[in-house]
Amino acid sequence: MDYKNCLIVIPMKSLGASKSRLEKHLPKNIKDKIVLKLFCNTLEKIKNVIDYIDGSFNLVVLTNCEEISEITRKKNIQIIKDKYDKNLSFSLQFAAEWASKRKYLSMCIFPADIAGLNIEDIKTFLLYSNKDRYAVLCPSYDLGTNALFISPPNAIKFNFGKKSFLSHINLASNAGLKPVILSLESIKYDIDNMIDVEKLFKDYPNFIEGYSHE
């Protein structure tokens, strides 16, 4: 039987649904530019890593947004059509079943909204383990789950949301996996609120063309 090693999944909502809370503070066109830049940066950095490291990794984008799909196709990256756009846990459960049916031994989930994603941290996370039945997790600064590497892909029922990092550790342990915590600095900080946006533009003043947040 022909088994593949790892499916790397980047879940991505439609632009209208992404970071909608920020529209209380930012014009929608600026919010959309930030979302797209974060997404493209994530794709490019992960693709650069897997092109130059040993191992069988396949990068896909999980979405049902045509604009996101078009950008992804232009980068020659595979798309999984998301059937559960409004619920991240359901979306990733669908991706996990998709991976299992196609004989992937593991699945790695990266969010599309990490501003300072570091190539060395990506390498460390992807190469940490290739054993069967394990879970590697990186928390966000507020105890969300910012990266998750799991084998087999459908070993647990995902529970993304507030403090999901703690929930995923328990779920992995209860499933007989061996959860490992990798607290990698560049993966911990995603963009969820205006405090995050302010930090983003402090660290990267010209993050998007023609806009500087003050």
Side-chain angles (χ1 to χ4, degrees):
M1 193 173 290
D2 184 20
Y3 285 99
K4 305 166 191 175
N5 186 14
C6 179
L7 184 73
I8 302 174
V9 180
I10 311 296
M12 187 66 188
K13 294 180 179 180
S14 63
L15 277 181
S18 295
K19 308 298 176 188
S20 56
R21 286 178 295 177
L22 295 181
E23 290 181 24
K24 295 178 181 178
H25 309 280
L26 294 169
K28 184 179 183 303
N29 67 314
I30 297 300
K31 184 270 293 185
D32 288 351
K33 284 183 179 181
I34 293 171
V35 168
L36 279 175
K37 182 69 178 289
L38 290 167
F39 171 65
C40 290
N41 283 356
T42 299
L43 287 187
E44 289 166 11
K45 288 181 179 179
I46 293 176
K47 192 172 187 302
N48 285 341
V49 169
I50 64 176
D51 283 346
Y52 293 100
I53 61 174
D54 293 332
S56 176
F57 298 96
N58 186 23
L59 175 62
V60 301
V61 172
L62 175 67
T63 190
N64 71 358
C65 174
E66 188 50 45
E67 185 172 356
I68 295 299
S69 296
E70 183 62 25
I71 292 168
T72 303
R73 279 190 284 268
K74 288 179 179 178
K75 295 179 181 294
N76 295 315
I77 296 171
Q78 187 176 356
I79 298 160
I80 300 177
K81 181 75 171 178
D82 188 5
K83 294 184 177 181
Y84 303 97
D85 184 48
K86 297 185 185 301
N87 187 302
L88 181 59
S89 296
F90 289 174
S91 293
L92 289 167
Q93 209 69 54
F94 172 72
E97 297 302 332
W98 188 97
S100 295
K101 288 177 183 177
R102 288 157 180 80
K103 311 303 181 187
Y104 283 94
L105 296 175
S106 58
M107 185 171 84
C108 182
I109 302 162
F110 277 103
D113 61 350
I114 300 176
L117 193 58
N118 180 285
I119 284 178
E120 290 304 316
D121 284 350
I122 298 170
K123 286 181 185 177
T124 298
F125 196 80
L126 290 178
L127 296 177
Y128 184 81
S129 177
N130 59 2
K131 299 176 183 178
D132 293 336
R133 300 199 64 76
Y134 67 91
V136 183
L137 305 96
C138 180
S140 67
Y141 67 92
D142 59 354
L143 293 181
T145 307
N146 263 16
L148 174 60
F149 201 158
I150 191 159
S151 174
N154 59 352
I156 65 172
K157 297 293 183 185
F158 299 114
N159 188 30
F160 285 88
K162 189 174 182 180
K163 296 188 177 179
S164 65
F165 171 70
L166 303 177
S167 177
H168 285 139
I169 289 176
N170 289 331
L171 287 165
S173 296
N174 291 339
L177 307 184
K178 298 177 180 178
V180 175
I181 300 168
L182 289 185
S183 188
L184 299 168
E185 198 65 25
S186 80
I187 299 178
K188 289 168 63 177
Y189 289 94
D190 50 4
I191 305 299
D192 279 333
N193 53 50
M194 283 307 296
I195 294 174
D196 300 330
V197 171
E198 289 165 4
K199 183 179 186 305
L200 170 67
F201 281 94
K202 180 180 179 181
D203 294 342
Y204 306 96
N206 300 311
F207 186 73
I208 57 173
E209 187 176 353
Y211 180 77
S212 177
H213 180 72
E214 295 182 358

